Structure formats: C-alpha cells, structure tokens
Amino acid sequence: MKKILYTLVLLSFTGLTQAQTPFEHEKSTGYSGQNIPALKYQEDSFNFLVLGDFGRVGDYYQKEVAREMGNAMVVLDGEFVVSVGDNFYPNGVASTQDYHWTSSFEQVYTNPSLYADWYIALGNHDYLGNVQAQVDYTKISRRWNMPDRYYSKTFKLENGKKLLLVVMDTNPFIENYRKSSKYGDLKEQDTEKQMQWLEQTLGQADADVQWKIVIGHHPMYSGGKRKVNKDTQGFEQQFAAFFDRHQVDAYICGHEHDLQIIKPKNRYTTQFLSGAASEVRPSGTMEHTIFAAAEPGFMAFSILNTSLTVQVVKANKEDAEVIYTHTIQKKK
C-alpha cells in the first residue's frame, strides 16, 4: 500500500539506525517542496486529502492551497485526493475540451504527489455546465476519477480491514434545485434509484469494512452562511438518520466556503466540511460545532487501526499550518 517505505539511514558515528519520514526521504532524493512540520505522519496509516469548491483558474487562494496540498501529500505519503464538488466556477465545464480543465485543474495542481487518483463529487455549480463532460474526463485523465454521478470505491488498510468510500450526488436531493430550470439535466436524475443504491452499498458492505465514509457536496449542518437555510435543513432531514443507521463514520462535504467540523451529540456520523480551496467566506458556529474557521485550506484524513484523525490545514501565503486536529475513536 505504501508508496514510500521507511528508509533506514546509517548513522556511522553512533552505529545506530534512524527511520526517515516520507518527507525526509523525498527531500533526500531531490524533492523541492516544503515540509509542514506540524502535520503529523504515523507509520502504517492510510492517508488522503479533501478539498472543495476549488475551480477558479488559480485565483483567490486556489494556488496557495494547491501548493500546500502537494506538500501535504508528500508529508503524509498520501494515497489519493477527494473533491467534494463545485469543481469549476461559475458554470461548470462545457465539454471535455473546455479550457477550464487546463486553467483550473491541470495547471494548478502540479506537484508530482498530486498526480495520484482524485475521486470527485459533483456540486451545484457543476450542474450549470455539462455534467457528463466531467464523467467523460475520467477516460481522458490519469488522475480524474468520476465513473458516474455517484459511485463507490473500497480500499484495503494495513491491518487487513477495509475503507468504503461512497461518493454520492447530493444535487438532485435539493428541492429548490428541482424547481429551477438552470441546473441542466438535474430534474431527470432519479433520487429514488440513488437512494436504493446508497441503501445497498452501505447496507451490504463487506464484513471487513471497518470504516464507512460518504462524500457529497451539500452539508447536513452549518454554522456559516447556510446555517438556517432550507436546503441544509432539508438535507439533514433526509440523511442524518440514514447515515446513523448505516453507521457512516464521516460525511465529508463542502458548499460553504470555510472549514467546519460538526457532530450532534445524538448522532453517530461526524460531518467534516472542507469548502475553502479557493474562495473563503465568513464562518460561524451552531449548537453542535466542534470547529469552524474562515481560512483557506483543506483537510487531511489519516486512518490507523481504530482511529480516524483529521488535521485541518490552513494555507498561508508562503507556508502552511495545522490549525485543528480531531480524532474519531472506533470500538474494536
């Protein structure tokens, strides 16, 4: 699983050996990027990054966040990247040849470590363009993965257990969108069919699946701009109990342009909102907020045995810092 194994360096003056971190190993072989010292790497952990609401031709904070994502992938020896949607502003892409692919993706996320697999969800802005083009780009790009509007992927962990990653399309479940004519073919999407698929995918998961993570664009909860928004409240009503029933450990989303972690006391699922990959808006808190920040950045997820640790990374003008860490402990 690990692309970079711990390398033993002989300390001749002591006769001892010392393990290199992934960053130290890459630096010794010529990597030109920077370390993120506060970003903690654990041996044998399974790591991936999450960004959201990113595609703005490198403007706003997009380039700074992209730079530090590349560094974080090296520091953590990351496996893949997740996008929670709104991949291209303001109106999605027109085709697989749209220049947005070059200006907002290929020429922005250029760190060699970011040429890993990207697992992509759809946002509302993507529905203002050609959604099928984003699906079809999977056949063109080595790293862009969106085989359908919703899909799942299973990963094997170091302890022999598995991670089930479920990427859903939240847009058809937003009632206000279905009333609008501007969201392309959204009205044609069958929510009942997707619910049946979600039920089957989550409910009949392999017995070795230790962690269930669902990816979507819209939040169930927010302390930010959409704190009392009917779309947010409606999505919570549709999915909060559903995720609990299927013991979904983490629901990861965006839509709000900030960074939030929320978990109601009576719920099983923790929501992680990572929508600050380019534009940043003022954030806020609600009754169940664990963390909230209006800062440009992303989240780094690390799974090790019965722990899921999330490190919230802020991208500064020239470097990055970890501004919050949250861990979910799972019963054996």
Side-chain angles (χ1 to χ4, degrees):
M1 177 187 298
K2 307 310 292 178
K3 300 183 292 296
I4 304 172
L5 299 176
Y6 263 13
T7 303
L8 296 178
V9 179
L10 183 63
L11 302 179
S12 58
F13 60 90
T14 63
L16 299 176
T17 58
Q18 178 177 314
Q20 283 188 322
T21 65
F23 175 80
E24 289 168 339
H25 170 76
E26 291 302 310
K27 202 66 175 176
S28 71
T29 61
Y31 177 61
S32 60
Q34 298 183 63
N35 193 5
I36 305 177
L39 190 62
K40 298 190 185 317
Y41 168 78
Q42 294 176 287
E43 187 175 5
D44 293 331
S45 59
F46 184 95
N47 307 288
F48 62 93
L49 305 185
V50 174
L51 81 164
D53 305 78
F54 68 83
R56 295 181 184 272
V57 297
D59 208 332
Y60 297 79
Y61 296 102
Q62 190 183 5
K63 287 186 178 179
E64 288 86 349
V65 173
R67 180 196 68 221
E68 296 307 328
M69 284 178 59
N71 290 332
M73 281 287 279
V74 172
V75 170
L76 296 175
D77 191 17
E79 299 289 338
F80 56 83
V81 177
V82 168
S83 167
V84 298
D86 275 4
N87 307 310
F88 300 100
Y89 285 95
N91 299 314
V93 291
S95 70
T96 58
Q97 303 304 311
D98 194 312
Y99 191 68
H100 233 330
W101 291 106
T102 300
S103 61
S104 290
F105 182 61
E106 303 291 1
Q107 288 186 350
V108 177
Y109 302 97
T110 57
N111 188 295
S113 69
L114 295 177
Y115 282 82
D117 289 327
W118 287 53
Y119 296 100
I120 314 293
L122 290 165
N124 52 297
H125 281 268
D126 300 311
Y127 261 95
L128 296 175
N130 185 344
V131 171
Q132 188 59 43
Q134 293 201 36
V135 175
D136 292 343
Y137 199 70
T138 301
K139 301 175 184 178
I140 296 174
S141 171
R142 167 60 184 83
R143 52 181 172 166
W144 185 272
N145 288 276
M146 188 192 290
D148 211 330
R149 298 184 191 219
Y150 52 89
Y151 57 95
S152 66
K153 179 80 174 178
T154 302
F155 301 90
K156 189 173 182 179
L157 306 174
E158 283 290 324
N159 63 357
K161 300 294 185 178
K162 297 177 181 178
L163 159 66
L164 175 61
L165 188 75
V166 176
V167 181
M168 65 179 292
D169 181 3
T170 62
N171 297 280
F173 294 98
I174 305 301
E175 184 178 354
N176 284 334
Y177 294 177
R178 300 189 74 87
K179 297 176 181 178
S180 173
S181 60
K182 68 179 182 178
Y183 288 107
D185 62 356
L186 185 144
K187 291 182 181 179
E188 300 170 19
Q189 303 311 306
D190 189 338
T191 55
E192 183 177 345
K193 182 179 179 181
Q194 186 176 171
M195 283 301 301
Q196 291 173 349
W197 175 83
L198 285 166
E199 184 80 50
Q200 181 178 23
T201 303
L202 292 167
Q204 299 179 16
D206 190 319
D208 288 334
V209 170
Q210 184 179 30
W211 296 93
K212 294 179 182 179
I213 294 178
V214 175
I215 310 297
H217 183 64
H218 293 85
M220 296 186 290
Y221 326 105
S222 176
K225 176 182 177 181
R226 297 179 173 91
K227 182 176 181 178
V228 294
N229 185 276
K230 290 184 178 180
D231 293 344
T232 305
Q233 295 170 343
F235 195 74
E236 176 189 0
Q237 291 168 6
Q238 292 178 85
F239 286 101
F242 178 81
F243 290 157
D244 283 354
R245 179 161 59 85
H246 287 291
Q247 295 193 314
V248 172
D249 300 287
Y251 174 61
I252 307 175
C253 59
H255 199 44
E256 296 280 54
H257 298 172
D258 56 18
L259 302 162
Q260 300 183 51
I261 302 174
I262 298 174
K263 183 182 183 296
K265 293 180 180 179
N266 61 335
R267 292 296 181 194
Y268 182 91
T269 304
T270 304
Q271 176 186 279
F272 297 91
L273 193 158
S274 181
S278 59
E279 181 190 66
V280 175
R281 283 198 298 248
S283 188
T285 61
M286 61 172 295
E287 180 184 358
H288 307 296
T289 296
I290 296 172
F291 170 81
E295 302 288 0
F298 57 94
M299 293 185 180
F301 286 69
S302 300
I303 296 174
L304 182 60
N305 297 320
T306 59
S307 297
L308 170 62
T309 299
V310 180
Q311 300 177 81
V312 183
V313 183
K314 175 189 174 184
N316 298 315
K317 185 175 181 179
E318 296 182 352
D319 59 12
E321 58 184 302
V322 176
I323 57 176
Y324 195 79
T325 300
H326 183 76
T327 299
I328 297 174
Q329 294 289 350
K330 197 175 184 74
K331 294 181 180 180
K332 296 183 179 179

